[in-house]
Amino acid sequence: MDPVEHFRDYVANNIREIGEDRDFIGLSNIWVRESIRHRYAQNFTWLGRPIIQVPQDTYAIQELIWTCRPDLVIETGIAHGGSLVMSASMLAMLDYCDAVQAGTVLDPKASRRKVVGVDIDIRAHNRAAIEAHPLTHKIHTIQGSSVADDVFAQVKAHAEGYDRVMVFLDSNHTHEHVLAELELYAPLTSKGSYCVVWDTGVEDLPADMCADRPWGKGDNPKTAVWEYMKRLESEGRTARDGEPLKFAYDKTIENKITITASPDGFLKRV
């Protein structure tokens, strides 16, 4: 067997075994729960900006963007801007590698690849930091509710002409809001790409861990994902490209990283 194929099969078997090891997954879920008590995910930066993500999830983002090669990444929820910068940096890396392979000179600001970020409140100090970042030319921000008609109209206009689109949903975590986001943004996802819903793990936490939030067990991103997937199965939807909209839970990426804030949140358009 070809050694590259052999290693690929070896890794696939590792991931399969992880998915079948309920004790290991259970231990990982306990670790995630306890890490929240220590505010662990708030301790990291990406190229200088706080990213507020579990590191394993950032690794998943890198793999997804490299594999799917999107030209446009749409993100709801901006916070400090670290996730925008990470997506922008990966798109810049795609630009760089394309130029190397083509043997052409790279003009960093000439690429069409970009990130569109939406947040209901982009705080002045965060906006200033994002606009001062070297990758700001690849980032466009929109202030307003992600489910407001005028805001979504702006996002949809930015998506015109892009064939490879990836979506990350990470704003208000209530069931109602995330479900509304899925109805609007999931159809923008291109076939073979992903709509990732962050913080679905809220459903698996003790109720008292979200007592100070408007979301919690039974009312969170995971329950919204479950409802949306049921709707797709029973009612059907049409994607932006006019084809039937179908998603599958990607348990491979979830089992690979094991430690994640988003179980059942990696939705691949198939």
Side-chain angles (χ1 to χ4, degrees):
M1 179 183 291
D2 176 83
V4 174
E5 183 178 349
H6 180 268
F7 186 73
R8 186 183 299 117
D9 290 346
Y10 169 78
V11 171
N13 187 63
N14 288 346
I15 296 169
R16 179 186 57 77
E17 289 182 350
I18 288 173
E20 295 172 352
D21 190 338
R22 309 318 298 171
D23 288 341
F24 181 57
I25 292 177
L27 181 63
S28 299
N29 291 340
I30 292 172
W31 188 95
V32 170
R33 183 193 70 203
E34 294 306 305
S35 76
I36 293 172
R37 300 187 196 279
H38 292 280
R39 300 167 296 279
Y40 173 82
Q42 300 183 34
N43 299 336
F44 304 94
T45 62
W46 189 272
L47 299 184
R49 294 306 301 155
I51 191 167
I52 322 298
Q53 288 274 20
V54 176
Q56 285 81 351
D57 283 331
T58 64
Y59 205 94
I61 292 171
Q62 175 272 142
E63 288 204 4
L64 295 181
I65 291 179
W66 180 257
T67 300
C68 299
R69 301 181 62 82
D71 296 318
L72 177 68
V73 177
I74 299 170
E75 303 195 17
T76 64
I78 291 177
H80 299 270
S83 182
L84 296 181
V85 170
M86 179 176 186
S87 293
S89 70
M90 284 302 303
L91 297 184
M93 186 62 73
L94 293 179
D95 291 340
Y96 174 83
C97 291
D98 285 350
V100 170
Q101 289 184 322
T104 57
V105 175
L106 175 64
D107 178 356
K109 296 186 178 181
S111 170
R112 290 184 68 248
R113 288 189 175 110
K114 68 179 178 182
V115 185
V116 174
V118 181
D119 200 293
I120 197 167
D121 180 19
I122 307 174
R123 297 179 180 179
H125 64 283
N126 288 329
R127 182 186 292 277
I130 294 168
E131 292 177 351
H133 198 278
L135 288 170
T136 191
H137 64 281
K138 300 193 79 65
I139 298 171
H140 179 83
T141 59
I142 300 172
Q143 181 162 297
S145 170
S146 58
V147 298
D149 290 343
D150 61 326
V151 170
F152 180 67
Q154 294 179 61
V155 175
K156 193 174 180 181
H158 278 284
E160 290 297 325
Y162 285 93
D163 296 324
R164 293 195 297 273
V165 180
M166 186 171 289
V167 175
F168 297 138
L169 302 180
D170 192 14
S171 59
N172 184 320
H173 293 329
T174 64
H175 175 99
E176 180 181 10
H177 185 87
V178 177
L179 185 57
E181 283 190 328
L182 282 164
E183 291 284 4
L184 291 172
Y185 290 87
L188 300 180
T189 309
S190 54
K191 185 172 286 189
S193 189
Y194 287 77
C195 176
V196 181
V197 182
W198 297 115
D199 290 316
T200 53
V202 170
E203 174 67 12
D204 308 314
L205 299 176
D208 63 347
M209 292 193 74
C210 297
D212 61 340
R213 301 299 177 93
W215 50 81
K217 188 175 291 293
D219 178 6
N220 55 70
K222 184 183 279 189
T223 61
V225 168
W226 289 343
E227 174 64 24
Y228 184 68
M229 295 292 271
K230 289 179 183 177
R231 289 184 182 183
L232 289 185
E233 185 176 351
S234 62
E235 304 170 18
R237 294 287 190 279
T238 301
R240 182 175 59 114
D241 55 18
E243 295 190 26
L245 184 64
K246 297 181 180 180
F247 286 93
Y249 295 105
D250 190 340
K251 304 302 285 189
T252 296
I253 190 71
E254 185 179 322
N255 291 334
K256 175 190 292 189
I257 59 178
T258 311
I259 291 174
T260 178
S262 302
D264 284 356
F266 295 91
L267 307 180
K268 183 177 183 179
R269 186 179 165 201
V270 295

